[in-house]
Amino acid sequence: MAAEVATTGMLTIPPDSTFFSRERVERILAFVIAVGCAVLGLQSLFHAIGSTQEDHGWNLVLTFVTFGPLVLMIAAGVAGRFYRPLAAAFAIIFPLVLICWPIATAGREASATAEPWIWYLLNVATVATALAFPLLLQYLWCALVPVLYGVVRLIQIGADVTSVIQVSRQVVYAIILAVVMIMIGWMLRLLAERLDRTREDAVRSYAAAAAADAVEQERISVAALMHDSVLAALIAAERASTPRERDLAVGMARDALTRLANADREAEEGPDEPVEPTFIVDGIRAAAAEHDVDIDVRIAVDQRAQPLPGRVARALALAAAQAVVNAIEHAGGAGLHAEVTADDRRVVVRIVDAGDGFDVQAVPEDRLGISGSIVARVAAVGGQARVRSTRRGTAVELRWEYTR
């Protein structure tokens, strides 16, 4: 009866990627607001230069007080640094400029049809709050600044019905536009926060999965150690009938005790320095020699074959050694031989015997000779282990491919 079992195990690390974070949204908002404010600021500056609606002295003072902080805020927004305090400064200074506007225009001829240069900066002052103020104050500024403009504008041109209607339309338009811009900023920040939260949850879940995987790998290593060393030593001691067999059992027991003592320091894993594929051949021959068997190892290593990571070579060597031990113990070593092939793409190790075979699917889960010491051990380093067994014998194939 033929049976087959194969498995592959690999811990996949998600590729590094860029996340849409709150910090990035803040930088984008600062840059976009700076560009928009620069456009509106230039438009307002052209109207402010040579304006006749206010006294000439006041014009110079208000222009300097208004556009000085505005230029600094725009520069900081483009640079992405110190834009919050400068935006807050402009958002506070501009209402003070509005309060001074009736004084600056007192006694001057007013035109209801020509908007003053301060009109073009209403939404600059409101959108600046999106960079510096809490959301509640942002909405407060959306109403306060346009309404304050409406009051000082009516003081300047008079509060007749036509002027009130005209200025009211301007105020409502400014409020609506300000609210829309504040809502866009709020929605972008909310989206960024949710994405950041999702990212944190994903990282936390991945960390938990990685921790669980580490525990599982440790369990596999301990189980394989128990089977490879301790159980093998006990079985050898039980079956020893000659002085040579007893000496071998004593040596296996001594080795098992050493590996158990060093298990907490991961002595079995060792360094991860690259080794040649022939390292696996040495491990197979050593395992056979422990049972006083001279195994035929057929080697086909291509010149293009690359060195293996140390942990991979050890896993393949230990899994192959366990397959050799199984063949000796259960098949009497009949027809036992090994094949090790390597090229620039993969390493393949085959352990073959000519015993009576067994039903792979019928092997109990608590028997670790195949599931723990061979299949799980190879899967832990990203390889594949395949066991085929028929009445004509058993073949264990271990396969590991280089990362491209």
Side-chain angles (χ1 to χ4, degrees):
M1 175 179 180
E4 181 179 309
V5 60
T7 185
T8 301
M10 182 175 293
L11 183 60
T12 302
I13 307 297
D16 186 22
S17 56
T18 303
F19 292 92
F20 187 64
S21 64
R22 172 66 182 267
E23 182 179 355
R24 179 155 298 161
V25 167
E26 293 295 340
R27 291 198 298 267
I28 293 174
L29 283 177
F31 181 81
V32 172
I33 290 175
V35 173
C37 291
V39 173
L40 293 176
L42 284 175
Q43 185 179 13
S44 177
L45 181 61
F46 290 148
H47 285 80
I49 297 175
S51 173
T52 59
Q53 294 196 30
E54 69 271 31
D55 181 75
H56 179 68
W58 275 104
N59 176 263
L60 293 177
V61 172
L62 294 181
T63 300
F64 176 79
V65 171
T66 302
F67 290 98
L70 179 59
V71 169
L72 294 177
M73 183 190 79
I74 293 172
V78 172
R81 301 181 62 184
F82 308 115
Y83 53 82
R84 287 188 177 90
L86 293 173
F90 180 79
I92 294 173
I93 290 173
F94 186 73
L96 299 178
V97 172
L98 292 180
I99 293 174
C100 295
W101 187 254
I103 304 174
T105 57
R108 309 283 295 185
E109 182 179 354
S111 174
T113 57
E115 289 85 0
W117 57 268
I118 56 175
W119 154 251
Y120 302 99
L121 296 177
L122 289 184
N123 288 119
V124 173
T126 53
V127 78
T129 62
L131 300 177
F133 291 174
L135 186 61
L136 183 60
L137 278 181
Q138 294 177 30
Y139 284 116
L140 178 62
W141 241 248
C142 288
L144 174 64
V145 173
V147 169
L148 182 58
Y149 166 80
V151 172
V152 300
R153 180 62 173 161
L154 290 176
I155 294 176
Q156 178 189 6
I157 63 176
D160 57 88
V161 176
T162 303
S163 298
V164 170
I165 294 176
Q166 178 183 354
V167 172
S168 298
R169 289 175 179 173
Q170 293 176 340
V171 170
V172 172
Y173 171 79
I175 291 175
I176 293 175
L177 185 58
V179 170
V180 169
M181 290 189 293
I182 294 299
M183 288 185 64
I184 291 175
W186 171 76
M187 287 189 294
L188 288 175
R189 287 188 173 108
L190 181 63
L191 175 62
E193 289 176 356
R194 290 180 177 177
L195 289 176
D196 280 344
R197 193 176 302 115
T198 302
R199 175 193 179 189
E200 291 175 1
D201 293 341
V203 171
R204 193 176 297 110
S205 299
Y206 176 76
D213 180 78
V215 172
E216 179 64 15
Q217 298 304 325
E218 183 178 359
R219 185 194 67 79
I220 292 173
S221 298
V222 172
L225 173 62
M226 290 293 295
H227 182 275
D228 294 354
S229 299
V230 180
L231 294 182
L234 292 175
I235 293 173
E238 179 185 6
R239 296 179 179 178
S241 58
T242 66
R244 178 173 176 78
E245 290 177 346
R246 293 189 186 96
D247 290 341
L248 288 174
V250 171
M252 294 174 65
R254 186 181 298 110
D255 179 67
L257 290 174
T258 301
R259 293 174 66 181
L260 283 174
N262 295 331
D264 58 338
R265 295 193 295 270
E266 300 181 345
E268 180 181 337
E269 295 300 324
D272 201 29
E273 297 179 359
V275 297
E276 296 298 328
T278 52
F279 176 89
I280 302 173
V281 177
D282 297 336
I284 294 174
R285 287 174 174 163
E290 287 183 358
H291 291 77
D292 201 21
V293 173
D294 185 14
I295 186 172
D296 176 22
V297 182
R298 303 167 188 175
I299 307 171
V301 178
D302 192 284
Q303 294 181 350
R304 298 172 299 172
Q306 305 173 21
L308 293 167
R311 60 186 179 84
V312 174
R314 278 186 295 277
L316 293 176
L318 290 171
Q322 182 58 45
V324 170
V325 172
N326 288 347
I328 294 173
E329 293 180 351
H330 301 294
L336 177 61
H337 69 274
E339 302 171 6
V340 178
T341 61
D343 54 28
D344 60 338
R345 299 181 60 186
R346 65 181 62 87
V347 176
V348 180
V349 181
R350 297 185 77 246
I351 308 296
V352 182
D353 67 61
D356 295 333
F358 63 98
D359 184 357
V360 179
Q361 302 293 346
V363 177
E365 293 183 358
D366 58 350
R367 297 297 297 273
L368 303 176
I370 294 178
S371 62
S373 298
I374 298 178
V375 175
R377 174 173 276 153
V378 175
V381 294
Q384 293 178 316
R386 189 181 301 272
V387 180
R388 293 186 180 93
S389 187
T390 67
R391 292 188 179 92
R392 296 188 298 273
T394 302
V396 177
E397 181 179 285
L398 314 176
R399 181 182 296 264
W400 185 84
E401 296 190 1
Y402 292 98
T403 303
R404 291 189 175 273

